[in-house]
Amino acid sequence: MKKRIEKMRGEFTVALQAAAVPEDAEKVRVAFLGKKGALTEVLKGMKDLTPDERREVGALSNALKDEFERMLATRAAELGRGEIEKKLAAEWEDISWPSGLSRGAAHPIAVIRRRVKEIFVSMGFEVLDGPEMEEEVNNFDKLNIPPDHPARDAQDTFWLDNGMLLRTHTSPVQVRGMLSHTPPFKFIAPGKVYRNEAVDASHEHTFHQIEGMVVDRNISVAHLIYSMKTLLTGIFEKEVEVRLRPGFFPFVEPGFELDIKCLICGGKGCSVCKQSGWLELMPCGMVHPVVLRNGGIDTEEFSGFAFGLGLERLVMMKYGIDDIRLFHGADLRFFTQF
Ligand code: FA5
């Protein structure tokens, strides 16, 4: 009987290892420890043994029963874990995997704004920010545009109930920059501006400008032209035709309009350049002494230049886009080209 019990340990171990699912382990338990199980049957034969033999076989079979139960518990846990893992594997989903939707793209305005920033930062310019809701005094008065000045009419203004306005250009950042900096300094200020204007192929009510201002000793028009050329060569990566003509802005003296030969029609005339062959891109000039003084700058010692780049028009020329209204649209076929 002792031999039979010893042999049973091997049989039990083999049967348990062969179990693939928790139900198999349960079948092994019934086969060995159940009412009609192998070990139970052996124990039933103990009545024919001598008392000494009975004590010895009893102890042996109890120890074996305990051992089988421990092994069963361990195996059942293993198989259960395996089941959970299998279930998890079947249900697993990679939530970082791109969905069926097409991917977005950087907006062309953002692409070129980044490039313009890089070009100016490489020339040592700082990048400033200014609020879109602005004080009248910064948007107009301190820029040498008093309340009755006709230049106010050129920039139809969205007035706010609180007496402030949506800035019509980025030039108020000139005022803020002068008041917060000690010369010499040079900065650009990209941002959104608003005008109460009729929209057409080259005009929007909400558009972007990049203001630039340099204040230092002995600044001349030559510095201005050099900076504009560096910018345009960096953006267009080729020679482009530009022209400088006199332009009037109360905050610069002398003032200029920098026009670029229309890259949409090659100068022949189209709806974007209003059939003129040229597109007004970047007004600029030497900062008016009144403006410098309003910014607390000593005009005996310092002079400066400033410019106000229209970002949409630059992007239109760069990519050959013939309608400014596309920028505010939601057509992904348009946006994914850049
Ligand atoms: C100004 O806004 C001046 N503050 C620029 C300036 C700064 C001059 C510093 C001198 C010194 P203007 O109104 O011309 O100027 O606008 C500047 C540029 O913004 C234009 O050349 C054009 O490229 C762009 N722009 C003007 N109006 C619109 C519009 N409605 N839609 C899209 N772009 C526009």
Side-chain angles (χ1 to χ4, degrees):
M1 188 175 270
K2 267 165 61 186
K3 271 192 194 143
R4 174 73 193 106
I5 289 174
E6 289 296 341
K7 197 166 164 234
M8 206 178 296
R9 177 184 278 115
E11 291 166 359
F12 180 85
T13 307
V14 170
L16 197 56
Q17 278 310 317
V21 288
E23 290 72 33
D24 293 344
E26 176 58 14
K27 280 183 198 153
V28 175
R29 191 189 68 75
V30 172
F32 285 84
L33 303 178
K35 267 187 191 162
K36 291 185 180 160
L39 186 61
T40 319
E41 288 301 319
V42 170
L43 295 177
K44 279 181 192 164
M46 275 178 40
K47 59 183 187 314
D48 304 325
L49 300 177
T50 64
D52 283 348
E53 281 174 335
R54 212 180 294 153
R55 206 175 302 117
E56 194 185 350
V57 171
L60 200 62
S61 56
N62 277 338
L64 196 63
K65 193 171 167 231
D66 288 349
E67 194 181 332
F68 282 2
E69 274 167 358
R70 272 199 307 279
M71 286 167 76
L72 273 166
T74 308
R75 186 73 185 134
E78 275 170 18
L79 293 172
R81 241 193 337 268
E83 282 296 286
I84 290 169
E85 276 160 14
K86 251 190 261 167
K87 203 162 170 234
L88 285 178
E91 288 174 2
W92 184 82
E93 252 178 65
D94 182 356
I95 56 168
S96 68
W97 191 251
S99 70
L101 296 172
S102 55
R103 295 184 68 185
H107 195 286
I109 297 286
V111 173
I112 297 301
R113 183 176 47 207
R114 194 186 314 138
R115 183 73 193 114
V116 173
K117 276 194 205 173
E118 279 168 7
I119 292 167
F120 279 107
V121 167
S122 75
M123 289 193 276
F125 282 62
E126 197 183 334
V127 181
L128 297 190
D129 201 7
E132 290 171 19
M133 186 171 76
E134 190 43 286
E135 306 277 352
E136 179 182 0
V137 69
N138 291 336
N139 197 84
F140 292 124
D141 300 60
K142 288 199 172 166
L143 290 169
N144 200 25
I145 318 176
D148 52 352
H149 199 289
R152 289 205 180 194
D153 301 339
Q155 299 188 0
D156 285 333
T157 309
F158 287 112
W159 291 94
L160 303 174
D161 289 345
N162 61 4
M164 294 174 81
L165 48 79
L166 292 181
R167 66 178 176 188
T168 55
H169 52 174
T170 43
S171 298
V173 188
Q174 285 190 33
V175 178
R176 292 173 177 276
M178 284 187 290
L179 293 173
S180 61
H181 288 66
T182 310
F185 57 77
K186 45 182 185 268
F187 62 78
I188 57 163
K192 232 184 253 173
V193 301
Y194 304 85
R195 289 188 197 176
N196 195 356
E197 282 192 4
V199 169
D200 62 25
S202 56
H203 290 83
E204 262 292 359
H205 49 74
T206 303
F207 56 100
H208 297 79
Q209 290 186 341
I210 299 185
E211 196 75 11
M213 187 178 212
V214 173
V215 174
D216 205 336
R217 293 173 186 90
N218 304 317
I219 291 291
S220 70
V221 175
H223 295 103
L224 166 64
I225 294 172
Y226 172 79
S227 304
M228 302 300 93
K229 275 200 165 165
T230 308
L231 168 69
L232 294 175
T233 316
I235 294 292
F236 291 103
E237 293 158 334
K238 63 174 182 188
E239 282 292 315
V240 287
E241 249 184 274
V242 293
R243 70 178 186 193
L244 209 57
R245 60 189 165 87
F248 175 73
F249 300 91
F251 33 99
V252 283
E253 181 55 39
F256 308 102
E257 281 288 0
L258 187 132
D259 296 339
I260 181 169
K261 187 174 245 183
C262 184
L263 297 174
I264 308 280
C265 61
K268 289 196 200 80
C270 67
S271 63
V272 174
C273 61
K274 297 223 161 53
Q275 313 305 329
S276 72
W278 293 89
L279 201 72
E280 178 189 305
L281 187 68
M282 194 157 37
C284 49
M286 302 305 292
V287 185
H288 198 292
V290 168
V291 175
L292 287 173
R293 281 196 289 274
N294 286 342
I297 290 168
D298 179 358
T299 49
E300 294 295 313
E301 189 177 359
F302 294 103
S303 54
F305 72 78
F307 60 87
L309 168 70
L311 195 51
E312 272 79 358
R313 299 213 183 142
L314 181 69
V315 177
M316 289 166 83
M317 290 297 105
K318 166 76 181 164
Y319 294 123
I321 298 165
D322 62 3
D323 197 321
I324 197 170
R325 288 164 289 201
L326 287 165
F327 292 124
H328 282 179
D331 190 340
L332 272 182
R333 288 168 306 178
F334 170 67
F335 289 111
T336 46
Q337 295 173 64
F338 308 100

